[in-house]
Each structure stands twice: as structure tokens, then as C-alpha cells.
Amino acid sequence: MRSRTALLAAAALTAAATGTATGASAAPNGAAAAGCTVAYTVQTQWDSGFTSGVTVTNTGDAVSGWNLTWSFAGNQRVTQGWNADIAQSGAGVTARNVAHNGTLATGASTSFGFNASYSGSNATPATFKLNGVTCNTGPVDPPDPTDPPGPGDRVNNPYAGAKVYVNPEWSAKAAAEPGGSRIAGQPTGVWLDRTAAIEGVGGAMGLRDHLDEALTQKGSGELVVQLVIYNLPGRDCAALASNGELGATEIGRYKTQYIDPIAAILADQKYAGLRIVTTVEIDSLPNLVTNTTPRPTATPNCDTMKANGNYQKGVGYALNKLGDAPNVYNYVDAGHHGWLGWDDNFGASAELFKTAATTEGATLGDVHGFIVNTANYSALKENHFTIDDSVNGVSVRQSKWVDWNRYVDELSYAQAMRAKLVSLGFDTNLGMLIDTSRNGWGGTARPAAPGPRTSLDAYVDGGRYDRRIHLGNWCNQSGAGLGERPQASPAAGIDAYVWVKPPGESDGSSTAIPNDEGKGFDRMCDPTYEGNPRNNNNMSGALPGAPLSGHWFSAQFQELMKNAHPAL
């Protein structure tokens, strides 16, 4: 796959709902014409609200500051925005640039988004103006290789200006739950967690079934399909609940029976108009850094995988083969801050990611970005304390919760990891995804203010949103809630917040359950378990009564909705 930079002249997008055309106004004395296009997309909509993404492209002279204005036709009210300062008076809305996106060269674009409330109809605004110039009003220019991308073209951020695929199987399960219809329309990842999943298991949809359904959902706009590539040999060497079907040495089967068939389907021209986002092999590469000898958390299985190199070989092969399709966007798993945020882990992990991305014929250009917090619970943003805070002259890094970590939340970790990876040679336009499906931590337990400064631990524990017993706990966590809804371009360097882990699907069974899926029983999923060195021998914090990983867990789904933040 070619790099992001080489493929992009600009990141403008065609509107999924309305389409765009180049708007131009004649300029006096032969000066360059002023003009702009706007792609406005309703990404998610529910009974009383919606999330919209807006991409603005400057087709006129360069500007060093911008404001975009429009008027709603109904009673829509903006409640939250990102990547722009948004103000509303009556039906009129003004979105102004923020510090990092104020300059727009000719042909350049920027994206922002917002949440809003409404009732009745939710019509797309009829007119947009950029710095007073009406957009989308002129004739469509003839095709030109330097024009911004059109439908099906490769873009800088695949989520910007696009809808995201709603898995009908997950949606039906969510809708069948009391209150589940409130989120049943949210997009979630499709997990290809064994070879049989490619064709479909037990009457479930296979990969082609999902892609065919995605074409129906796409309509005339753009649509992202999120796939989780998850079947490495010796998968998840430090846990048992998510063990896979392939043994530690079966790299040949991984290539020929798993990756090659997926790559062949994704390369089918029938699906060339879809934007296919792959999350490549969660939990694998980080294990080689933290859970191998001489670390005290080392496991024999992880030592084996480090010695045979099959994690790096498998990831590299997947990036190379999947990346051959120009509409595939590979995002590699990069753990989370509660795993790799420590000094000994952070840089070593980034170096290992680079090694894997240049193995088995892969290049750094085959990596479109990275994803953090996949299927995990780390809070997106801790607002009541920062890594720079101190109590009585003692840094929060020394608190029991932070425990010398460099980061206190996923957003700061993702942005720092992105900067580190770019410094190692990854594309300067590298994008990050954050899985926010279960990191909301709302409900009555969510602190409304910082903790007391009576002691360091009281300050951190009293103010932190993440209510886990220990940062290393990962299985079916009690008290967790849905996090930020999926949205494009929510923060600097972040391509999207996503729900890759479908809410309501178990992380692992609370007790041993015989199965033919290759999934073992991990004591971290047992609510009575008192822990191990990886969680400082704390209780697991897991919910009782959980089924096998990936199976529907109604009690967890209800708790996630109850504790959602933002609230449902």
C-alpha cells in the first residue's frame, strides 16, 4: 500500500447525504476565485439527537483563519463540538477554527464534528458559507488528478464524511434488550476471530455477507466497514479467555487459510467503493514487550512467541496482503496506556511495531494508523487530575493507581504514541483510533470533582473516572459504561472514536466452559480471583455469570447502558 501522503492531494470528501460541488465566485481584476465545498454528514441519529461530521475544503485563495456558518431548518441545537469552536444563536450556527486547523491552503480541507439535539425532522442545512462565501454553488469541475478525492478514492481519514457499517447481527441483539434500541443503530466492529468466521459459523454472516450488506447501507455516499483481524498463531499468549485456534508454530496456516482468503475477498472489485478499516491483531505485539523474560510477568507462551517471531511475521504478512487493496486502511493494535504507558514499555513497543510493519514484505506505508484501548476500559480523558499534578510536593505518578505511568488516560497516550511512531518514520499523517465502547464510566459512581488533597491516593482515587480496582483488570469489568459515541476527527491526531468491541459481547467466561472455539478459562474473568503479578494481586473486578468470549452477555450490556457517559 502506498503511504497516506503520497496518495493525497487533499482530504476533501463527498457528502454522504447530499453530495458536493465546487463553489466559485468570480473575483475582480483576474484574482483567484474564492470558493469552498462542504460535506455535511449525519453519522449517527437517535430519537432525540444526532452526531454530524463536517468537512470543509477551501477551493479559493489560502486563508489563515476561517468561520463556517449555516442555519438549521428545524429545532436542532448543538450541544457539543470538537475540532472547532461552535456557537449557535437561534437557528444560526457559526463554527470557527481552533489553533491547529486555522490555516487552509488552496485545495486543503479540515474536518470537525458536533452532537446536537432535535425533535421532528432533521433536515440537512441548505446553505453553508466559509468566511462569507457561499459553498457548493458552482458547476462541477471536469475530472482532474489534482482534485480532492471523490467517491471510492483514497482519503486521509476514512471516517471523515462517511457513515460506518452497522452490523445487523449485533444490532438485532442490542435491540432485543430492554432499552437497547437507543444504541442498536451504532456501528461496531466485525470480528474475524477464526478461519470459519470468514464463511460464517452456525448460520452467522460471513465476510462477504457483511460486505454485501455494507453496499446496501452505503447507498450513494461513503461507508466505512470495520473488520478485526484476530487469529494469530499462539494468540494472546498471556491470557486464556481469548486463546485461538492456531498453535504457536502454525504461521503457514495463518497465511494461507486465514489472511489469503480475506485478502482475496477484500480485493474483489465489487467492494472497491467501500472504505474497509482493519484492526490488525489486538493484544499480540504488546505481549512480546511486557510478558516475556526477564519481566516478572513473563509467561512461557509469550517467551515461545518471542523466540519464534510468528507474531511479527503474522502482522507483517497481514499488513502486506490486506494493504494491496487500495480501499483497505490498516490500523495496528497499540495496546492502551495502562499496559504500555510506562517508560520501559512505551518506546520498546513503538520500535516493535516498526519491526512488525517492515516484516514479510510489509512497509510502513501499509500502516494507515494505530488503534488503542481495543476491547478495554481505560478512561478516554481524566479531567480531575493530570500527570503533572502533585499533592504535598509528591507527583501523582507515585500514587498506587498511576504507579509511575507516564499517562493517565487514553487520549494523552494515543497522541503521544502517535508522535513517537512518526518520529520513527511512520507517515506524518498517521491517524489514531480509540475504542470507546466501554470506557465511559458514568452513572452514580462517576466523580463530579477532584478528590481531596488529604493524601496523594485520596486525590487520585477520589477524582478518577476509571473505577476499576486496578488498571490491569481487563475482563468484564464491573461498573463500566458505554463511552463516547463513534465519531470522526474528535481530537488532534485522532481519526475517530470507534466501538470496535461490540458492547454486550463477553471478554471471557466466569467459569470454565467446554467449547470448540479454542477458548480457555482465564481466572481474570472469575469474580472470586485474587489476582496475579500483572494486576498487583488485586481482585479481578469481573462480573459474575459471563459466557465465553464473544458470546452475548445481557447483564453486562444492561450495566454498560446504565453507566453510559455521555448518558443515554
Side-chain angles (χ1 to χ4, degrees):
M1 183 186 295
R2 293 159 289 172
S3 70
R4 294 166 74 121
T5 303
L7 283 162
L8 295 172
L13 302 168
T14 300
T18 62
T20 62
T22 301
S25 302
N29 302 320
C36 45
T37 64
V38 172
Y40 175 100
T41 305
V42 176
Q43 299 170 331
T44 306
Q45 184 169 305
W46 56 99
D47 290 345
S48 60
F50 63 98
T51 299
S52 279
V54 183
T55 298
V56 183
T57 303
N58 176 31
T59 59
D61 289 337
V63 297
S64 58
W66 55 265
N67 67 78
L68 184 75
T69 58
W70 71 88
S71 292
F72 285 123
N75 60 356
Q76 298 97 326
R77 298 292 303 181
V78 175
T79 57
Q80 178 190 23
W82 48 91
N83 276 358
D85 290 327
I86 303 177
Q88 183 170 354
S89 178
V93 181
T94 299
R96 299 182 185 279
N97 67 273
V98 291
H100 70 270
N101 64 1
T103 299
L104 286 179
T106 302
S109 64
T110 190
S111 297
F112 64 91
F114 62 87
N115 293 327
S117 62
Y118 83 105
S119 62
S121 62
N122 182 24
T124 298
T127 303
F128 296 89
K129 291 185 177 182
L130 180 68
N131 292 350
V133 175
T134 301
C135 302
N136 304 342
T137 58
V140 177
D141 290 335
D144 187 290
T146 64
D147 280 345
D153 287 345
R154 192 164 184 83
V155 293
N156 186 41
N157 179 359
Y159 289 86
K163 298 181 292 184
V164 186
Y165 176 64
V166 177
N167 181 344
E169 294 181 314
W170 175 84
S171 181
K173 293 175 184 176
E177 292 279 345
S181 60
R182 293 174 294 175
I183 65 165
Q186 293 289 356
T188 54
V190 173
W191 287 59
L192 302 175
D193 62 352
R194 46 184 160 154
T195 301
I198 300 171
E199 295 299 324
V201 180
M205 297 171 69
L207 177 54
R208 282 194 179 275
D209 297 323
H210 283 293
L211 296 178
D212 289 341
E213 171 63 20
L215 291 175
T216 300
Q217 292 186 21
K218 179 180 183 295
S220 60
E222 300 289 353
L223 185 130
V224 170
V225 180
Q226 302 173 120
L227 304 178
V228 180
I229 307 302
Y230 188 47
N231 197 32
L232 273 178
R235 190 177 74 192
D236 207 350
C237 57
L240 298 174
S242 49
N243 284 168
E245 65 182 351
L246 300 180
T249 62
E250 294 187 284
I251 187 68
R253 283 187 61 195
Y254 176 79
K255 293 178 178 179
T256 61
Q257 297 180 26
Y258 179 70
I259 292 297
D260 287 353
I262 293 174
I265 293 172
L266 300 188
D268 190 331
Q269 283 299 301
K270 178 180 181 181
Y271 307 121
L274 297 171
R275 297 176 183 175
I276 300 173
V277 165
T278 63
T279 292
V280 178
E281 295 296 356
I282 66 171
D283 295 342
S284 59
L285 299 175
N287 271 315
L288 301 185
V289 174
T290 64
N291 295 319
T292 54
T293 302
R295 299 291 183 92
T297 54
T299 72
N301 289 340
C302 289
D303 281 340
T304 295
M305 299 315 300
K306 183 175 183 179
N308 66 29
N310 282 343
Y311 278 3
Q312 299 97 310
K313 295 173 187 176
V315 169
Y317 189 84
L319 293 173
N320 180 20
K321 294 299 181 179
L322 301 177
D324 286 343
N327 60 319
V328 170
Y329 301 79
N330 289 320
Y331 289 78
V332 179
D333 181 76
H336 55 89
H337 90 277
W339 189 355
L340 303 183
W342 281 270
D343 296 338
D344 290 347
N345 301 344
F346 187 85
S349 297
E351 294 281 0
L352 183 59
F353 299 154
K354 181 177 180 179
T355 297
T358 52
T359 300
E360 294 286 330
T363 69
L364 299 187
D366 286 312
V367 179
H368 201 77
F370 285 78
I371 181 169
V372 302
N373 203 47
T374 310
N376 209 266
Y377 298 85
S378 296
L380 177 65
K381 182 74 173 70
E382 292 284 8
N383 292 327
H384 297 321
F385 67 99
T386 74
I387 201 66
D388 299 319
D389 290 352
S390 62
V391 175
N392 299 324
V394 182
S395 168
V396 300
R397 292 193 70 202
Q398 298 185 49
S399 67
K400 291 180 180 178
W401 174 255
V402 178
D403 192 26
W404 296 101
N405 203 310
R406 285 285 179 188
Y407 307 96
V408 300
D409 52 39
E410 281 307 291
L411 181 58
S412 62
Y413 167 75
Q415 291 170 327
M417 179 58 78
R418 178 188 180 278
K420 178 65 175 178
L421 292 164
V422 169
S423 76
L424 294 178
F426 283 92
D427 199 296
T428 56
N429 288 314
L430 195 73
M432 305 296 287
L433 304 177
I434 302 178
D435 188 349
T436 59
S437 57
R438 303 184 300 180
N439 70 347
W441 295 104
T444 58
R446 185 179 178 86
R453 289 185 170 270
T454 52
S455 72
L456 182 62
D457 288 330
Y459 175 67
V460 173
D461 290 339
R464 60 181 168 93
Y465 296 140
D466 189 334
R467 306 313 298 171
R468 283 178 290 178
I469 298 170
H470 186 270
L471 198 56
N473 289 353
W474 55 267
C475 192
N476 300 325
Q477 290 300 284
S478 177
L482 302 169
E484 288 285 347
R485 313 306 180 252
Q487 55 191 256
S489 307
I494 309 300
D495 280 353
Y497 296 152
V498 294
W499 283 8
V500 165
K501 175 69 173 182
E505 292 189 0
S506 173
D507 296 317
S509 59
S510 301
T511 58
I513 299 176
N515 66 91
D516 60 358
E517 300 176 29
K519 296 170 182 176
F521 168 52
D522 197 297
R523 289 297 306 280
M524 286 298 290
C525 301
D526 177 357
T528 69
Y529 185 49
E530 296 179 351
N532 56 46
R534 286 190 290 281
N535 79 334
N536 270 350
N537 297 298
N538 283 279
M539 298 296 291
S540 69
L543 290 167
L548 290 172
S549 63
H551 290 224
W552 191 255
F553 189 8
S554 177
Q556 184 192 49
F557 184 80
Q558 289 296 327
E559 185 163 285
L560 290 172
M561 290 195 297
K562 180 182 71 174
N563 296 327
H565 186 86
L568 296 179

